[in-house]
């Protein structure tokens, strides 16, 4: 984004900057701590890249998983049977205990956990080098 802005004078859309994937994630544990999210609440990302970034950022303090996921993806991620009950490939799981849903601006769809409520825990979106960074969003989701 910085080079693009220098080249053509316009600020590009932050979602086009691949380096955004590396920016801001280190702030996630602090954001969750400030929000008072329980330390044992695992992270759930519904997109592979988002779940992977969250897992890396939260390690070793929190576990993260990808859900919903395909049968192949289930072999790569923790099952978290104490927190979520899978409803089948590609379907949103049912929450058994509270989790943190993590997303970013690339994927605007909210979590669709059945019979659950989600409240914002916070967003990480400070600019870098004067160029907007895509937002990283955390929602605290609990079963009803």
């Amino acid at each position: 984004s910085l080079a693009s802005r220098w080249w053509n004078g316009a600020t590009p859309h932050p979602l086009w900057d691949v380096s955004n994937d590396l920016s801001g994630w280190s702030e996630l544990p602090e954001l969750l701590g400030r929000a008072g999210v329980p330390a044992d609440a695992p992270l759930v990302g519904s997109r592979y890249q988002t779940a992977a970034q969250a897992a890396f950022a939260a390690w070793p303090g929190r576990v993260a998983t990808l859900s919903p996921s395909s049968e192949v993806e289930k072999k790569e991620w923790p099952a978290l049977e104490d927190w979520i009950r899978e409803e089948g490939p590609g379907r949103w799981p049912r929450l058994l205990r509270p989790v943190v849903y993590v997303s970013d601006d690339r994927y605007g769809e909210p979590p669709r956990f059945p019979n659950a409520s989600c409240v914002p825990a916070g967003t990480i979106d400070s600019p870098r080098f004067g160029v907007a960074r895509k937002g990283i969003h955390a929602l605290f989701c609990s079963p009803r």
Side-chain angles (χ1 to χ4, degrees):
S1 289
L2 187 61
S4 178
R5 188 172 68 182
W6 173 79
W7 182 263
N8 66 18
T11 300
H13 195 290
L15 301 182
W16 299 341
D17 185 355
V18 179
S19 67
N20 276 330
D21 286 337
L22 307 175
S23 181
W25 287 97
S26 61
E27 300 171 36
L28 184 60
E30 182 182 337
L31 177 136
L32 297 176
R34 281 193 319 266
V37 173
D40 68 338
L43 306 178
V44 176
S46 68
R47 304 288 184 176
Y48 198 98
Q49 183 68 22
T50 307
Q53 294 290 20
F56 186 76
W59 183 85
R62 290 183 192 267
V63 66
T65 195
L66 173 69
S67 190
S69 55
S70 69
E71 288 301 320
V72 172
E73 290 167 333
K74 286 183 190 322
K75 296 176 184 174
E76 299 175 357
W77 293 91
L80 303 179
E81 289 104 355
D82 291 340
W83 281 271
I84 58 178
R85 177 174 298 129
E86 294 293 339
E87 300 286 318
R91 296 183 61 198
W92 282 83
R94 183 168 308 282
L95 296 183
L96 302 174
R97 294 173 57 189
V99 302
V100 178
Y101 176 77
V102 182
S103 66
D104 63 42
D105 287 342
R106 289 177 296 182
Y107 310 112
E109 71 181 52
R112 294 190 312 257
F113 300 112
N115 298 319
S117 61
C118 296
V119 296
T123 297
I124 302 165
D125 63 358
S126 58
R128 59 190 172 91
F129 306 117
V131 177
R133 176 173 71 211
K134 71 173 169 286
I136 299 167
H137 311 282
L139 290 98
F140 186 62
C141 300
S142 301
R144 287 189 229 159

